[in-house]
Amino acid sequence: MSATLKDIAASTGLSVTQVSRALNDHDDVSAETKIRVREAANALNYRPNLSARKLASGRSGIVGLVLPPQDRTPRDSMFVQMVRGLSGAFSRRGRLFVLHAAEEGEDVVAVHRRLIDGGSLDGFVLIEPEENDPRVAYLRRRGVPMVMHGRGAAKPDYPFYDIDNIAVGRELTAMLLRAGHRRIGFVNGIAATCYAAHRRTGWEMALREAGIEIDPDLHEHGQMIESVGALATLRMMNGEAAPTGLIAGNMLIAKGIYNALSMLGLKVPGDVSVVVHDDMLPGEDLMSLPASSGTRSALALSWEPLAQGLIGAIEGKPLAELQQLGGFEIVEAGSIAPPNR
Amino acid sequence: MSATLKDIAASTGLSVTQVSRALNDHDDVSAETKIRVREAANALNYRPNLSARKLASGRSGIVGLVLPPQDRTPRDSMFVQMVRGLSGAFSRRGRLFVLHAAEEGEDVVAVHRRLIDGGSLDGFVLIEPEENDPRVAYLRRRGVPMVMHGRGAAKPDYPFYDIDNIAVGRELTAMLLRAGHRRIGFVNGIAATCYAAHRRTGWEMALREAGIEIDPDLHEHGQMIESVGALATLRMMNGEAAPTGLIAGNMLIAKGIYNALSMLGLKVPGDVSVVVHDDMLPGEDLMSLPASSGTRSALALSWEPLAQGLIGAIEGKPLAELQQLGGFEIVEAGSIAPPNR
DNA sequence: GTAGCACCCCGAAACGGTTCGGAAATTCTC
DNA sequence: GAGAATTTCCGAACCGTTTCGGGGTGCTAC
């Protein structure tokens, strides 16, 4: 059905070898021949057979991602977003991106193993890094290329793309400090995640530099959902020394914070200032949120560097080139005022 | 790295041919040999190379699904659910399920084409059927097996799994008719979808059988989200002859209906009866909904039949065996009372 | 004139499976 | 006990691609 190299060879009068080399742009094929071959390939509607390619060269051009088994609903929408983004980024680079979902209770490493043994994938995008990630250990042992979205250590020994979350935490805190706040609360992401730890570090650094003692009651770890933001706010504002400024780990938390403050009859920024880190997740129903100051870094910006990083890893580029750090913007949009207490 | 047939052959003293046949359970291999081969395969930790298999036999054991490009957020969560379910169903059958997302604006047929030409997939699960589905036409032309979730015609000529949505529409309407209602509104799914059309047909049939004239103002097509349910309710209840019973296409619509009724100061079931078809989508924040009567059919029940259908199609089973219809339950849980007007 | 060098090309082997046709060993049949 | 049938096995070809090693031009340099 589909045309093969043999067909092109027959149609051009060349050997299969030379056709293959022409299509792969090797340098011992004359320019004229390359053109001729490409035209023939086009005319015959040729598409390389990835299975055959994988078998012969060890590379299929297919990369994958394993969706972790737990389904925490708020993230599902982000997953779809991510799959779309990565699909596009890889297909622009002539690769095929594919996703496989681990089953509830299935061992994630075993799933990777199954995919590698199947012998169809060239490498993996990993998400949700852990400190000493067993997936990384396994893939390294098998010599399978990978790239991590985020990182599990300050300076990991594997390819990754991440933003400087220490700087994010620092900047968010600094924005409030500059307005004169000294009691600054932080509703952060899940404690186990590295990015939340980094942001916490940034928060602590900024406070310490300003000569402010760190009050652990003003920090909260939790899922990045509305209810966590609301609960943490209610707790902190009812505490002994209520904060005058609040930091939200993302927009959903911010939504919870705004709701809780409104329940308490507190105005933003009159009574409480709020800053937020915005991942710019589309589709979330956040129209209703007032404009907020803070940091901003679209999650969608990570797909391209991730694809680039994984392909680099597959092609054997040195580690230094495969560890990329993304930036973030600073947004000034109201929601900050000097403290009134 | 990974063991191959050759290794097993060497370790058992058999030929590669016989090892292959033993592992694939052919009938000209002695029982004793089969056992011996399987043990050796186990000991060597053998996994078949899917690329090689695909090349030799035309089948890799990998099947896929292409995620349509539009991202309507309410469905994203369902997609993830579905991917998880299908992954499990196929892996239980020794197949690998994989997902590829089409990019915004990309032609869905072209994406399938790319995946087929790549020569790694055996078949596809299709979702969101259209009337004369171009994907079906293309796959049929290429001879690629498929199974549809839902169907694009009353009696399609391709494998599918669906529930009897005419019966659903009929039963929901009948439940209200039995309680004495004669003005029954229906907030249905998107007009272009086949299941919504079927349910509408069921609604019309039930009304007609009861000798009630059909009032098009009492029917609404729209996305299955809360706001659609609320808006439709407000419109209908403010109409000239407000309905005394309402049918919700799913739980999110029901949520909108309950909210709107509560805004209008109407009680359920005192003032208005409500029935709903429940897909039992997990993760939706529906705890707050009062228990409702209606029909119920878990979406999660479709993954197994779909996997079975696609594998059947790949193995060349006759069409009749590949067209499956699922059932639904009837739920009596209050929310219905005789009309008070 | 020939050694050296680009440049362009090709045959054959390999990747890891499946499958076809035949062959050896065993059992059955009369 | 010969021939047929059955069971169990194997060699070889093949799927579509890449890659290794070699080979034949034609040109330059001495």
Side-chain angles (χ1 to χ4, degrees), chain A residues 108-132:
Chain A
V108 196
V109 173
V111 178
H112 284 88
R113 181 173 168 330
R114 202 152 66 88
L115 289 172
I116 299 169
D117 287 334
S120 313
L121 297 198
D122 291 349
F124 292 91
V125 176
L126 300 185
I127 56 176
E128 310 193 344
E130 300 171 25
E131 189 116 15
N132 284 315

Side-chain angles (χ1 to χ4, degrees), chain A residues 9 25 47 49 57 82 113 132 144 160 163 191 205 237 279 301 330:
Chain A
D25 207 24
R47 311 283 145 166
N49 183 312
S57 70
M82 180 175 60
R113 181 173 168 330
N132 284 315
V144 179
F160 68 85
I163 60 174
M205 282 170 63
M237 298 312 294
D279 297 306
L301 291 179
I330 295 172

Side-chain angles (χ1 to χ4, degrees), chain A residues 118-243:
Chain A
S120 313
L121 297 198
D122 291 349
F124 292 91
V125 176
L126 300 185
I127 56 176
E128 310 193 344
E130 300 171 25
E131 189 116 15
N132 284 315
D133 205 298
R135 299 169 297 175
V136 175
Y138 182 72
L139 293 178
R140 174 180 308 274
R141 193 147 52 75
R142 296 282 305 254
V144 179
M146 53 137 292
V147 66
M148 181 68 83
H149 184 215
R151 47 191 160 152
K155 195 65 195 157
D157 55 348
Y158 49 77
F160 68 85
Y161 173 82
D162 200 4
I163 60 174
D164 186 347
N165 280 302
I166 296 185
V168 166
R170 236 174 125 122
E171 179 58 33
L172 288 170
T173 315
M175 290 177 87
L176 293 173
L177 286 170
R178 282 198 291 271
H181 294 267
R182 297 187 58 83
R183 297 199 51 80
I184 298 175
F186 188 2
V187 189
N188 202 350
I190 295 179
T193 62
C194 198
Y195 74 91
H198 278 176
R199 289 182 186 172
R200 178 176 197 158
T201 304
W203 172 72
E204 289 173 351
M205 282 170 63
L207 290 178
R208 216 167 267 137
E209 282 163 17
I212 299 173
E213 203 184 338
I214 283 147
D215 179 354
D217 281 348
L218 292 186
H219 186 279
E220 179 97 21
H221 278 304
Q223 276 193 57
M224 289 214 163
I225 53 178
E226 198 177 332
S227 59
V228 166
L231 270 164
T233 304
L234 295 176
R235 181 182 65 69
M236 288 187 199
M237 298 312 294
N238 285 329
E240 294 184 5

Side-chain angles (χ1 to χ4, degrees), chain B residues 157-230:
Chain B
D157 55 348
Y158 49 77
F160 69 85
Y161 174 81
D162 199 4
I163 61 174
D164 185 347
N165 279 302
I166 296 184
V168 167
R170 237 175 125 121
E171 178 58 32
L172 287 169
T173 314
M175 288 176 87
L176 293 173
L177 286 171
R178 283 197 291 270
H181 295 268
R182 298 187 56 83
R183 297 200 51 80
I184 298 175
F186 188 2
V187 188
N188 201 348
I190 296 180
T193 61
C194 198
Y195 74 92
H198 278 177
R199 289 182 189 172
R200 178 175 198 157
T201 303
W203 172 71
E204 289 173 352
M205 283 170 63
L207 290 178
R208 214 166 269 138
E209 283 163 17
I212 300 174
E213 203 185 339
I214 284 148
D215 179 355
D217 280 348
L218 291 186
H219 186 278
E220 179 95 22
H221 278 303
Q223 276 192 58
M224 291 215 161
I225 54 178
E226 198 177 332
S227 58
V228 167

Side-chain angles (χ1 to χ4, degrees), chain B residues 168-187 203 206-207 210 212 218 243-248 257-258 268-269 271-277 292-295 330-332 334-340:
Chain B
V168 167
R170 237 175 125 121
E171 178 58 32
L172 287 169
T173 314
M175 288 176 87
L176 293 173
L177 286 171
R178 283 197 291 270
H181 295 268
R182 298 187 56 83
R183 297 200 51 80
I184 298 175
F186 188 2
V187 188
W203 172 71
L207 290 178
I212 300 174
L218 291 186
T244 59
L246 285 173
I247 304 175
I257 290 179
Y258 277 108
V268 176
D271 299 314
V272 179
S273 294
V274 173
V275 293
V276 47
H277 178 75
S292 305
S293 299
T295 52
I330 294 171
V331 183
E332 310 267 6
S335 81
I336 303 181
N340 67 353

Side-chain angles (χ1 to χ4, degrees), chain B residues 40-55:
Chain B
N42 242 322
L44 291 173
N45 222 323
Y46 168 79
R47 312 280 145 167
N49 183 313
L50 300 182
S51 296
R53 173 176 289 176
K54 174 79 183 177
L55 201 53

Side-chain angles (χ1 to χ4, degrees), chain B residues 18 50 92 96 202:
Chain B
Q18 206 60 357
L50 300 182
R92 270 188 288 285
L96 182 60

Side-chain angles (χ1 to χ4, degrees), chain A residues 62 96-101, chain B residues 50 54 60-68 82-83 86-87 89-91 95-102 108 111-116 119-127 135 139 144-149 303 306-307 309-311 314:
Chain A
I62 310 179
L96 182 60
F97 174 83
V98 124
L99 174 133
H100 178 76
Chain B
L50 300 182
K54 174 79 183 177
S60 61
I62 310 180
V63 298
L65 180 149
V66 175
L67 205 56
M82 181 177 58
V83 172
L86 288 173
S87 284
F90 279 105
S91 88
R95 306 299 201 291
L96 182 60
F97 174 83
V98 124
L99 173 133
H100 178 75
V108 197
V111 178
H112 284 88
R113 180 175 169 333
R114 203 151 67 87
L115 288 173
I116 299 169
S120 313
L121 297 199
D122 292 348
F124 291 91
V125 176
L126 301 185
I127 56 176
R135 301 170 296 176
L139 293 178
V144 179
M146 54 136 293
V147 67
M148 180 69 83
H149 185 216
W303 316 143
L306 280 172
L310 179 51
I311 290 177
I314 291 173

